[in-house]
Amino acid sequence: DGIERYCERILRGKNGGMQIQVDNRGRQVKVMSYRKPKAGKDIYLTIDAGLQKELYNLFGGRIGTAIFMDPQNGEILGLLSSPSYDPNGSLVDAMRDKELPLVNRAIMGVYPPGSIFKIITSMAGLESKSIRPDTGFVCAGKLDIGKDEFNCWNKDGHGYVNLLNAIAWSCNVYFYNAGLLTGADKLTEYAGLFGLGRKTGIELFGESSGFVPSKDWKRQEKKETWYPGDTANFSIGQGDLLVTPLQIALMVAIIANSGALIQPHILKRIGDRDAPDFKAVSPKISKEDINIIRQGMRLAVEDPDGTGSRAFTGKVSISAKTGTVQLGPGIMPHGWFVGFAPSENPRICFVVFLENCGSGGDMPAEIARQAVEYWFGKHKNDQKI
């Protein structure tokens, strides 16, 4: 499975063979033709074996996924789906396992993004001029929309909040307001610009597309009207929106590299030739607006009140966004922690996702911090880093 299946023809080569003339007793008379066998080609991957092992150790059997990628060229440096399975073990046992070890959560798993989608809401609002960096709203812990009440995760409220603080503190009320001003159509449009709702094209089978809702979809498929409450939920990554962790890695990479839509890939070289070049195509997003979001993501880690402060380290500057996905009463939320490092000249971006772990700012942030420290410790003498 995986990359070996994708590159099967390259790895296997071609069988040789002979056509032989025999007599009526089956004895060889002569060789009619001969074809030499062709050896397959070696493939070289972008995966860093040390980082991959470190991620397995950090996860400790927890359920989820982690992706580490070079945001400049899309090289996948680490890709973990946990729990995994023993290829030499029983396939039947793996199929019966309730923790679904045969599912590659990095590319097959689809989940609500929760608050990490506020990156898209911020970008859509800034690009459409619906909000500015200094646009502020008062968070009193909730917002009434029609007859419904929409809560912030901070029940006491955040007080007056501008965009940078809203990203750092992940204020729901701010993004409810920002989303309502921006509109659902723009949220759908910018989700698409950042690669959500479609396959990335990585060299692995079974990749899911995820799903980005729209007003037209709800009217045509559900025969229902799109309400302001739908926009509010959409703005904070809840509702019908579904993403894969790899799509989120691409979204973060676009922020890290200031607007280039790159191609995530695992194949680095085939034989003595480099794998096909992956051209970056800019989705025409303002670098100035991206820089504003990057500032907010940096505050999320460096501000003591930031939701990602657990990832703060004196060894390398990390910029990030947390996400906590509410699943219903009595069910532990999923947690996201996504970002890049260093903050000023990003050389690595990451996604850490844990199922039913609680806040994304807790264990996912801790795992990301330790993995980033490992990576930069290993490459401290690398001039590119």
Side-chain angles (χ1 to χ4, degrees), residues 95-144:
M95 293 175 66
R96 290 175 177 172
D97 193 325
K98 294 181 180 179
E99 293 182 347
L100 306 177
L102 295 176
V103 174
N104 185 343
R105 287 170 164 83
I107 63 169
M108 297 177 181
V110 288
Y111 309 93
S115 290
I116 58 174
F117 188 76
K118 292 171 182 176
I119 292 173
I120 302 295
T121 304
S122 300
M123 183 59 65
L126 289 169
E127 293 281 284
S128 65
K129 310 300 182 186
S130 302
I131 59 171
R132 302 188 307 270
D134 59 352
T135 299
F137 301 102
V138 175
C139 171
K142 63 180 181 179
L143 179 68
D144 292 325

mmCIF file of all heavy atoms in Angstrom, residues 95-144:
data_model
loop_
_atom_site.group_PDB
_atom_site.id
_atom_site.type_symbol
_atom_site.label_atom_id
_atom_site.label_comp_id
_atom_site.label_asym_id
_atom_site.label_seq_id
_atom_site.Cartn_x
_atom_site.Cartn_y
_atom_site.Cartn_z
ATOM 1 N N MET A 95 -8.305 -5.232 10.437
ATOM 2 C CA MET A 95 -9.602 -4.802 9.892
ATOM 3 C C MET A 95 -10.666 -4.749 10.982
ATOM 4 O O MET A 95 -11.590 -3.933 10.910
ATOM 5 C CB MET A 95 -10.029 -5.746 8.776
ATOM 6 C CG MET A 95 -9.146 -5.677 7.534
ATOM 7 S SD MET A 95 -9.571 -6.909 6.281
ATOM 8 C CE MET A 95 -11.196 -6.367 5.796
ATOM 9 N N ARG A 96 -10.528 -5.586 11.991
ATOM 10 C CA ARG A 96 -11.529 -5.635 13.066
ATOM 11 C C ARG A 96 -11.256 -4.625 14.172
ATOM 12 O O ARG A 96 -12.119 -4.375 15.012
ATOM 13 C CB ARG A 96 -11.564 -7.045 13.665
ATOM 14 C CG ARG A 96 -12.143 -8.106 12.733
ATOM 15 C CD ARG A 96 -12.026 -9.495 13.351
ATOM 16 N NE ARG A 96 -12.640 -10.517 12.513
ATOM 17 C CZ ARG A 96 -12.544 -11.819 12.737
ATOM 18 N NH1 ARG A 96 -11.851 -12.269 13.781
ATOM 19 N NH2 ARG A 96 -13.146 -12.685 11.939
ATOM 20 N N ASP A 97 -10.064 -4.047 14.162
ATOM 21 C CA ASP A 97 -9.668 -3.115 15.225
ATOM 22 C C ASP A 97 -10.550 -1.867 15.181
ATOM 23 O O ASP A 97 -10.665 -1.196 14.157
ATOM 24 C CB ASP A 97 -8.199 -2.724 15.035
ATOM 25 C CG ASP A 97 -7.618 -2.030 16.255
ATOM 26 O OD1 ASP A 97 -8.357 -1.280 16.924
ATOM 27 O OD2 ASP A 97 -6.417 -2.219 16.524
ATOM 28 N N LYS A 98 -11.186 -1.533 16.310
ATOM 29 C CA LYS A 98 -12.098 -0.386 16.386
ATOM 30 C C LYS A 98 -11.371 0.947 16.206
ATOM 31 O O LYS A 98 -12.005 1.959 15.896
ATOM 32 C CB LYS A 98 -12.844 -0.406 17.717
ATOM 33 C CG LYS A 98 -13.795 -1.580 17.878
ATOM 34 C CD LYS A 98 -14.519 -1.536 19.210
ATOM 35 C CE LYS A 98 -15.478 -2.708 19.366
ATOM 36 N NZ LYS A 98 -16.178 -2.683 20.686
ATOM 37 N N GLU A 99 -10.054 0.958 16.385
ATOM 38 C CA GLU A 99 -9.293 2.200 16.229
ATOM 39 C C GLU A 99 -8.868 2.439 14.786
ATOM 40 O O GLU A 99 -8.182 3.420 14.486
ATOM 41 C CB GLU A 99 -8.074 2.182 17.153
ATOM 42 C CG GLU A 99 -8.462 2.220 18.631
ATOM 43 C CD GLU A 99 -7.257 2.253 19.546
ATOM 44 O OE1 GLU A 99 -6.124 1.994 19.079
ATOM 45 O OE2 GLU A 99 -7.430 2.556 20.741
ATOM 46 N N LEU A 100 -9.269 1.563 13.881
ATOM 47 C CA LEU A 100 -9.091 1.725 12.425
ATOM 48 C C LEU A 100 -7.637 2.003 12.014
ATOM 49 O O LEU A 100 -7.347 3.003 11.366
ATOM 50 C CB LEU A 100 -9.993 2.858 11.925
ATOM 51 C CG LEU A 100 -11.479 2.747 12.265
ATOM 52 C CD1 LEU A 100 -12.230 3.974 11.757
ATOM 53 C CD2 LEU A 100 -12.073 1.482 11.688
ATOM 54 N N PRO A 101 -6.720 1.102 12.332
ATOM 55 C CA PRO A 101 -5.323 1.336 11.979
ATOM 56 C C PRO A 101 -5.055 1.320 10.475
ATOM 57 O O PRO A 101 -4.037 1.853 10.025
ATOM 58 C CB PRO A 101 -4.579 0.183 12.669
ATOM 59 C CG PRO A 101 -5.600 -0.894 12.803
ATOM 60 C CD PRO A 101 -6.893 -0.179 13.061
ATOM 61 N N LEU A 102 -5.953 0.714 9.682
ATOM 62 C CA LEU A 102 -5.746 0.663 8.238
ATOM 63 C C LEU A 102 -6.128 1.970 7.542
ATOM 64 O O LEU A 102 -5.843 2.150 6.359
ATOM 65 C CB LEU A 102 -6.546 -0.490 7.630
ATOM 66 C CG LEU A 102 -6.128 -1.901 8.062
ATOM 67 C CD1 LEU A 102 -7.064 -2.941 7.456
ATOM 68 C CD2 LEU A 102 -4.691 -2.191 7.656
ATOM 69 N N VAL A 103 -6.768 2.873 8.254
ATOM 70 C CA VAL A 103 -7.151 4.160 7.673
ATOM 71 C C VAL A 103 -5.997 5.149 7.846
ATOM 72 O O VAL A 103 -5.548 5.409 8.965
ATOM 73 C CB VAL A 103 -8.415 4.721 8.353
ATOM 74 C CG1 VAL A 103 -8.718 6.134 7.843
ATOM 75 C CG2 VAL A 103 -9.605 3.804 8.100
ATOM 76 N N ASN A 104 -5.505 5.672 6.736
ATOM 77 C CA ASN A 104 -4.476 6.708 6.788
ATOM 78 C C ASN A 104 -5.167 8.035 7.081
ATOM 79 O O ASN A 104 -5.670 8.711 6.179
ATOM 80 C CB ASN A 104 -3.712 6.774 5.467
ATOM 81 C CG ASN A 104 -2.547 7.750 5.522
ATOM 82 O OD1 ASN A 104 -2.475 8.597 6.408
ATOM 83 N ND2 ASN A 104 -1.635 7.628 4.584
ATOM 84 N N ARG A 105 -5.194 8.391 8.351
ATOM 85 C CA ARG A 105 -5.952 9.576 8.765
ATOM 86 C C ARG A 105 -5.438 10.868 8.140
ATOM 87 O O ARG A 105 -6.178 11.840 8.028
ATOM 88 C CB ARG A 105 -5.935 9.681 10.294
ATOM 89 C CG ARG A 105 -6.809 8.643 10.988
ATOM 90 C CD ARG A 105 -6.574 8.618 12.489
ATOM 91 N NE ARG A 105 -7.631 7.922 13.199
ATOM 92 C CZ ARG A 105 -7.708 6.609 13.352
ATOM 93 N NH1 ARG A 105 -6.760 5.837 12.818
ATOM 94 N NH2 ARG A 105 -8.709 6.064 14.017
ATOM 95 N N ALA A 106 -4.176 10.896 7.752
ATOM 96 C CA ALA A 106 -3.603 12.114 7.182
ATOM 97 C C ALA A 106 -4.269 12.503 5.865
ATOM 98 O O ALA A 106 -4.427 13.694 5.570
ATOM 99 C CB ALA A 106 -2.103 11.949 6.968
ATOM 100 N N ILE A 107 -4.670 11.498 5.063
ATOM 101 C CA ILE A 107 -5.240 11.795 3.751
ATOM 102 C C ILE A 107 -6.670 11.285 3.591
ATOM 103 O O ILE A 107 -7.413 11.798 2.751
ATOM 104 C CB ILE A 107 -4.374 11.206 2.619
ATOM 105 C CG1 ILE A 107 -4.330 9.677 2.702
ATOM 106 C CG2 ILE A 107 -2.966 11.793 2.648
ATOM 107 C CD1 ILE A 107 -3.728 9.010 1.479
ATOM 108 N N MET A 108 -7.079 10.302 4.393
ATOM 109 C CA MET A 108 -8.414 9.725 4.272
ATOM 110 C C MET A 108 -9.394 10.290 5.289
ATOM 111 O O MET A 108 -10.597 10.343 5.035
ATOM 112 C CB MET A 108 -8.358 8.206 4.438
ATOM 113 C CG MET A 108 -7.549 7.479 3.395
ATOM 114 S SD MET A 108 -7.509 5.699 3.774
ATOM 115 C CE MET A 108 -6.496 5.097 2.428
ATOM 116 N N GLY A 109 -8.883 10.675 6.452
ATOM 117 C CA GLY A 109 -9.746 11.165 7.515
ATOM 118 C C GLY A 109 -10.332 12.524 7.171
ATOM 119 O O GLY A 109 -9.625 13.408 6.685
ATOM 120 N N VAL A 110 -11.628 12.699 7.385
ATOM 121 C CA VAL A 110 -12.268 13.998 7.181
ATOM 122 C C VAL A 110 -12.875 14.451 8.512
ATOM 123 O O VAL A 110 -13.584 13.689 9.167
ATOM 124 C CB VAL A 110 -13.336 13.961 6.071
ATOM 125 C CG1 VAL A 110 -12.690 13.851 4.711
ATOM 126 C CG2 VAL A 110 -14.318 12.806 6.262
ATOM 127 N N TYR A 111 -12.571 15.682 8.877
ATOM 128 C CA TYR A 111 -12.955 16.206 10.177
ATOM 129 C C TYR A 111 -13.374 17.677 10.051
ATOM 130 O O TYR A 111 -12.890 18.391 9.161
ATOM 131 C CB TYR A 111 -11.777 16.136 11.156
ATOM 132 C CG TYR A 111 -11.096 14.800 11.246
ATOM 133 C CD1 TYR A 111 -9.979 14.502 10.454
ATOM 134 C CD2 TYR A 111 -11.555 13.818 12.122
ATOM 135 C CE1 TYR A 111 -9.346 13.274 10.538
ATOM 136 C CE2 TYR A 111 -10.921 12.587 12.213
ATOM 137 C CZ TYR A 111 -9.820 12.319 11.420
ATOM 138 O OH TYR A 111 -9.186 11.107 11.505
ATOM 139 N N PRO A 112 -14.234 18.161 10.961
ATOM 140 C CA PRO A 112 -14.464 19.602 11.021
ATOM 141 C C PRO A 112 -13.163 20.288 11.456
ATOM 142 O O PRO A 112 -12.476 19.785 12.348
ATOM 143 C CB PRO A 112 -15.547 19.746 12.089
ATOM 144 C CG PRO A 112 -16.141 18.381 12.254
ATOM 145 C CD PRO A 112 -15.048 17.414 11.945
ATOM 146 N N PRO A 113 -12.803 21.414 10.846
ATOM 147 C CA PRO A 113 -11.550 22.061 11.221
ATOM 148 C C PRO A 113 -11.621 22.852 12.519
ATOM 149 O O PRO A 113 -10.597 23.150 13.127
ATOM 150 C CB PRO A 113 -11.267 22.988 10.040
ATOM 151 C CG PRO A 113 -12.619 23.296 9.490
ATOM 152 C CD PRO A 113 -13.438 22.045 9.691
ATOM 153 N N GLY A 114 -12.823 23.221 12.943
ATOM 154 C CA GLY A 114 -12.902 24.045 14.146
ATOM 155 C C GLY A 114 -12.196 25.381 13.941
ATOM 156 O O GLY A 114 -12.167 25.935 12.832
ATOM 157 N N SER A 115 -11.563 25.870 14.982
ATOM 158 C CA SER A 115 -11.036 27.239 14.966
ATOM 159 C C SER A 115 -9.852 27.464 14.039
ATOM 160 O O SER A 115 -9.500 28.616 13.777
ATOM 161 C CB SER A 115 -10.657 27.662 16.386
ATOM 162 O OG SER A 115 -11.812 27.841 17.178
ATOM 163 N N ILE A 116 -9.218 26.424 13.541
ATOM 164 C CA ILE A 116 -8.145 26.669 12.577
ATOM 165 C C ILE A 116 -8.702 27.275 11.281
ATOM 166 O O ILE A 116 -7.977 27.923 10.533
ATOM 167 C CB ILE A 116 -7.326 25.394 12.266
ATOM 168 C CG1 ILE A 116 -8.214 24.280 11.732
ATOM 169 C CG2 ILE A 116 -6.561 24.942 13.508
ATOM 170 C CD1 ILE A 116 -7.455 23.052 11.282
ATOM 171 N N PHE A 117 -10.016 27.114 11.061
ATOM 172 C CA PHE A 117 -10.646 27.725 9.890
ATOM 173 C C PHE A 117 -10.718 29.246 10.024
ATOM 174 O O PHE A 117 -10.963 29.950 9.034
ATOM 175 C CB PHE A 117 -12.045 27.149 9.669
ATOM 176 C CG PHE A 117 -12.693 27.576 8.378
ATOM 177 C CD1 PHE A 117 -12.301 27.013 7.170
ATOM 178 C CD2 PHE A 117 -13.684 28.544 8.368
ATOM 179 C CE1 PHE A 117 -12.891 27.408 5.976
ATOM 180 C CE2 PHE A 117 -14.279 28.943 7.176
ATOM 181 C CZ PHE A 117 -13.885 28.373 5.974
ATOM 182 N N LYS A 118 -10.501 29.760 11.219
ATOM 183 C CA LYS A 118 -10.515 31.217 11.403
ATOM 184 C C LYS A 118 -9.419 31.892 10.583
ATOM 185 O O LYS A 118 -9.492 33.096 10.319
ATOM 186 C CB LYS A 118 -10.370 31.538 12.889
ATOM 187 C CG LYS A 118 -11.592 31.122 13.707
ATOM 188 C CD LYS A 118 -11.365 31.237 15.208
ATOM 189 C CE LYS A 118 -12.589 30.770 15.983
ATOM 190 N NZ LYS A 118 -12.371 30.767 17.454
ATOM 191 N N ILE A 119 -8.417 31.132 10.177
ATOM 192 C CA ILE A 119 -7.408 31.658 9.235
ATOM 193 C C ILE A 119 -8.082 32.032 7.920
ATOM 194 O O ILE A 119 -7.825 33.108 7.354
ATOM 195 C CB ILE A 119 -6.306 30.610 9.005
ATOM 196 C CG1 ILE A 119 -5.482 30.402 10.288
ATOM 197 C CG2 ILE A 119 -5.399 31.009 7.840
ATOM 198 C CD1 ILE A 119 -4.486 29.263 10.199
ATOM 199 N N ILE A 120 -8.966 31.175 7.425
ATOM 200 C CA ILE A 120 -9.691 31.453 6.182
ATOM 201 C C ILE A 120 -10.661 32.613 6.376
ATOM 202 O O ILE A 120 -10.766 33.502 5.522
ATOM 203 C CB ILE A 120 -10.454 30.207 5.701
ATOM 204 C CG1 ILE A 120 -9.496 29.029 5.483
ATOM 205 C CG2 ILE A 120 -11.251 30.513 4.442
ATOM 206 C CD1 ILE A 120 -8.496 29.229 4.377
ATOM 207 N N THR A 121 -11.373 32.621 7.492
ATOM 208 C CA THR A 121 -12.315 33.711 7.768
ATOM 209 C C THR A 121 -11.590 35.048 7.825
ATOM 210 O O THR A 121 -12.068 36.047 7.287
ATOM 211 C CB THR A 121 -13.059 33.448 9.088
ATOM 212 O OG1 THR A 121 -13.704 32.166 9.025
ATOM 213 C CG2 THR A 121 -14.110 34.514 9.360
ATOM 214 N N SER A 122 -10.414 35.064 8.447
ATOM 215 C CA SER A 122 -9.606 36.290 8.509
ATOM 216 C C SER A 122 -9.213 36.748 7.114
ATOM 217 O O SER A 122 -9.329 37.933 6.769
ATOM 218 C CB SER A 122 -8.348 36.052 9.353
ATOM 219 O OG SER A 122 -8.668 35.676 10.675
ATOM 220 N N MET A 123 -8.715 35.812 6.309
ATOM 221 C CA MET A 123 -8.262 36.162 4.971
ATOM 222 C C MET A 123 -9.422 36.643 4.105
ATOM 223 O O MET A 123 -9.303 37.649 3.385
ATOM 224 C CB MET A 123 -7.586 34.954 4.329
ATOM 225 C CG MET A 123 -7.011 35.234 2.953
ATOM 226 S SD MET A 123 -5.774 36.547 2.937
ATOM 227 C CE MET A 123 -4.481 35.780 3.927
ATOM 228 N N ALA A 124 -10.553 35.955 4.152
ATOM 229 C CA ALA A 124 -11.716 36.358 3.361
ATOM 230 C C ALA A 124 -12.199 37.744 3.779
ATOM 231 O O ALA A 124 -12.555 38.574 2.931
ATOM 232 C CB ALA A 124 -12.842 35.338 3.519
ATOM 233 N N GLY A 125 -12.188 38.014 5.090
ATOM 234 C CA GLY A 125 -12.618 39.318 5.570
ATOM 235 C C GLY A 125 -11.686 40.436 5.151
ATOM 236 O O GLY A 125 -12.127 41.510 4.725
ATOM 237 N N LEU A 126 -10.378 40.188 5.262
ATOM 238 C CA LEU A 126 -9.398 41.203 4.873
ATOM 239 C C LEU A 126 -9.419 41.462 3.373
ATOM 240 O O LEU A 126 -9.398 42.605 2.916
ATOM 241 C CB LEU A 126 -7.993 40.768 5.305
ATOM 242 C CG LEU A 126 -7.702 40.797 6.809
ATOM 243 C CD1 LEU A 126 -6.378 40.095 7.106
ATOM 244 C CD2 LEU A 126 -7.668 42.231 7.341
ATOM 245 N N GLU A 127 -9.445 40.397 2.588
ATOM 246 C CA GLU A 127 -9.391 40.541 1.133
ATOM 247 C C GLU A 127 -10.644 41.213 0.578
ATOM 248 O O GLU A 127 -10.584 41.942 -0.411
ATOM 249 C CB GLU A 127 -9.202 39.177 0.482
ATOM 250 C CG GLU A 127 -7.869 38.525 0.766
ATOM 251 C CD GLU A 127 -6.743 39.095 -0.093
ATOM 252 O OE1 GLU A 127 -6.675 38.755 -1.278
ATOM 253 O OE2 GLU A 127 -5.956 39.889 0.442
ATOM 254 N N SER A 128 -11.785 40.971 1.193
ATOM 255 C CA SER A 128 -13.038 41.577 0.731
ATOM 256 C C SER A 128 -13.269 42.952 1.344
ATOM 257 O O SER A 128 -14.293 43.590 1.059
ATOM 258 C CB SER A 128 -14.212 40.652 1.075
ATOM 259 O OG SER A 128 -14.363 40.539 2.482
ATOM 260 N N LYS A 129 -12.335 43.401 2.191
ATOM 261 C CA LYS A 129 -12.422 44.708 2.863
ATOM 262 C C LYS A 129 -13.595 44.773 3.849
ATOM 263 O O LYS A 129 -14.026 45.855 4.241
ATOM 264 C CB LYS A 129 -12.550 45.862 1.849
ATOM 265 C CG LYS A 129 -11.521 45.843 0.729
ATOM 266 C CD LYS A 129 -10.100 45.932 1.243
ATOM 267 C CE LYS A 129 -9.091 45.954 0.095
ATOM 268 N NZ LYS A 129 -7.683 45.906 0.565
ATOM 269 N N SER A 130 -14.093 43.613 4.251
ATOM 270 C CA SER A 130 -15.172 43.589 5.243
ATOM 271 C C SER A 130 -14.650 43.942 6.627
ATOM 272 O O SER A 130 -15.381 44.480 7.458
ATOM 273 C CB SER A 130 -15.823 42.200 5.278
ATOM 274 O OG SER A 130 -16.330 41.858 4.012
ATOM 275 N N ILE A 131 -13.386 43.603 6.885
ATOM 276 C CA ILE A 131 -12.734 43.957 8.145
ATOM 277 C C ILE A 131 -11.339 44.487 7.837
ATOM 278 O O ILE A 131 -10.803 44.274 6.751
ATOM 279 C CB ILE A 131 -12.625 42.759 9.116
ATOM 280 C CG1 ILE A 131 -11.817 41.612 8.464
ATOM 281 C CG2 ILE A 131 -13.996 42.271 9.545
ATOM 282 C CD1 ILE A 131 -11.479 40.479 9.411
ATOM 283 N N ARG A 132 -10.773 45.195 8.805
ATOM 284 C CA ARG A 132 -9.388 45.655 8.753
ATOM 285 C C ARG A 132 -8.675 45.120 9.987
ATOM 286 O O ARG A 132 -9.320 44.622 10.925
ATOM 287 C CB ARG A 132 -9.322 47.176 8.748
ATOM 288 C CG ARG A 132 -10.051 47.852 7.608
ATOM 289 C CD ARG A 132 -9.753 49.356 7.610
ATOM 290 N NE ARG A 132 -10.028 49.962 8.904
ATOM 291 C CZ ARG A 132 -11.203 50.483 9.263
ATOM 292 N NH1 ARG A 132 -12.214 50.460 8.398
ATOM 293 N NH2 ARG A 132 -11.374 51.008 10.454
ATOM 294 N N PRO A 133 -7.365 45.205 10.032
ATOM 295 C CA PRO A 133 -6.658 44.719 11.225
ATOM 296 C C PRO A 133 -7.124 45.386 12.516
ATOM 297 O O PRO A 133 -7.119 44.762 13.581
ATOM 298 C CB PRO A 133 -5.196 45.062 10.929
ATOM 299 C CG PRO A 133 -5.113 45.099 9.451
ATOM 300 C CD PRO A 133 -6.417 45.638 8.971
ATOM 301 N N ASP A 134 -7.554 46.655 12.418
ATOM 302 C CA ASP A 134 -7.983 47.361 13.625
ATOM 303 C C ASP A 134 -9.482 47.263 13.878
ATOM 304 O O ASP A 134 -10.007 47.867 14.818
ATOM 305 C CB ASP A 134 -7.570 48.835 13.563
ATOM 306 C CG ASP A 134 -8.164 49.565 12.367
ATOM 307 O OD1 ASP A 134 -8.781 48.895 11.499
ATOM 308 O OD2 ASP A 134 -8.031 50.805 12.291
ATOM 309 N N THR A 135 -10.189 46.520 13.033
ATOM 310 C CA THR A 135 -11.618 46.315 13.275
ATOM 311 C C THR A 135 -11.800 45.567 14.589
ATOM 312 O O THR A 135 -11.158 44.530 14.814
ATOM 313 C CB THR A 135 -12.264 45.510 12.127
ATOM 314 O OG1 THR A 135 -12.130 46.244 10.914
ATOM 315 C CG2 THR A 135 -13.738 45.261 12.409
ATOM 316 N N GLY A 136 -12.660 46.078 15.450
ATOM 317 C CA GLY A 136 -12.835 45.459 16.760
ATOM 318 C C GLY A 136 -14.281 45.159 17.083
ATOM 319 O O GLY A 136 -15.200 45.809 16.574
ATOM 320 N N PHE A 137 -14.485 44.169 17.911
ATOM 321 C CA PHE A 137 -15.807 43.820 18.418
ATOM 322 C C PHE A 137 -15.676 43.533 19.908
ATOM 323 O O PHE A 137 -14.611 43.126 20.381
ATOM 324 C CB PHE A 137 -16.371 42.582 17.720
ATOM 325 C CG PHE A 137 -16.498 42.724 16.237
ATOM 326 C CD1 PHE A 137 -15.557 42.147 15.382
ATOM 327 C CD2 PHE A 137 -17.548 43.428 15.674
ATOM 328 C CE1 PHE A 137 -15.658 42.270 14.012
ATOM 329 C CE2 PHE A 137 -17.662 43.552 14.304
ATOM 330 C CZ PHE A 137 -16.719 42.983 13.464
ATOM 331 N N VAL A 138 -16.751 43.722 20.632
ATOM 332 C CA VAL A 138 -16.761 43.413 22.063
ATOM 333 C C VAL A 138 -17.285 42.003 22.258
ATOM 334 O O VAL A 138 -18.379 41.666 21.795
ATOM 335 C CB VAL A 138 -17.622 44.415 22.849
ATOM 336 C CG1 VAL A 138 -17.710 43.999 24.317
ATOM 337 C CG2 VAL A 138 -17.044 45.814 22.737
ATOM 338 N N CYS A 139 -16.497 41.176 22.911
ATOM 339 C CA CYS A 139 -16.911 39.803 23.225
ATOM 340 C C CYS A 139 -17.379 39.746 24.674
ATOM 341 O O CYS A 139 -16.598 39.948 25.596
ATOM 342 C CB CYS A 139 -15.751 38.837 23.007
ATOM 343 S SG CYS A 139 -16.079 37.158 23.603
ATOM 344 N N ALA A 140 -18.666 39.463 24.834
ATOM 345 C CA ALA A 140 -19.230 39.308 26.179
ATOM 346 C C ALA A 140 -19.487 37.842 26.509
ATOM 347 O O ALA A 140 -20.232 37.523 27.441
ATOM 348 C CB ALA A 140 -20.524 40.106 26.287
ATOM 349 N N GLY A 141 -18.865 36.965 25.716
ATOM 350 C CA GLY A 141 -19.026 35.530 25.961
ATOM 351 C C GLY A 141 -20.075 34.875 25.103
ATOM 352 O O GLY A 141 -20.184 33.646 25.078
ATOM 353 N N LYS A 142 -20.864 35.695 24.388
ATOM 354 C CA LYS A 142 -21.890 35.132 23.517
ATOM 355 C C LYS A 142 -22.347 36.199 22.529
ATOM 356 O O LYS A 142 -22.068 37.391 22.692
ATOM 357 C CB LYS A 142 -23.087 34.632 24.327
ATOM 358 C CG LYS A 142 -23.805 35.736 25.098
ATOM 359 C CD LYS A 142 -24.988 35.200 25.877
ATOM 360 C CE LYS A 142 -25.706 36.349 26.610
ATOM 361 N NZ LYS A 142 -26.890 35.852 27.356
ATOM 362 N N LEU A 143 -23.047 35.746 21.483
ATOM 363 C CA LEU A 143 -23.612 36.652 20.496
ATOM 364 C C LEU A 143 -24.981 36.124 20.099
ATOM 365 O O LEU A 143 -25.125 34.960 19.744
ATOM 366 C CB LEU A 143 -22.703 36.750 19.263
ATOM 367 C CG LEU A 143 -23.197 37.667 18.134
ATOM 368 C CD1 LEU A 143 -23.169 39.126 18.579
ATOM 369 C CD2 LEU A 143 -22.354 37.480 16.875
ATOM 370 N N ASP A 144 -25.995 36.986 20.168
ATOM 371 C CA ASP A 144 -27.344 36.614 19.759
ATOM 372 C C ASP A 144 -27.518 36.878 18.270
ATOM 373 O O ASP A 144 -27.287 37.997 17.781
ATOM 374 C CB ASP A 144 -28.389 37.413 20.549
ATOM 375 C CG ASP A 144 -28.406 37.031 22.024
ATOM 376 O OD1 ASP A 144 -28.192 35.838 22.322
ATOM 377 O OD2 ASP A 144 -28.622 37.922 22.870
#
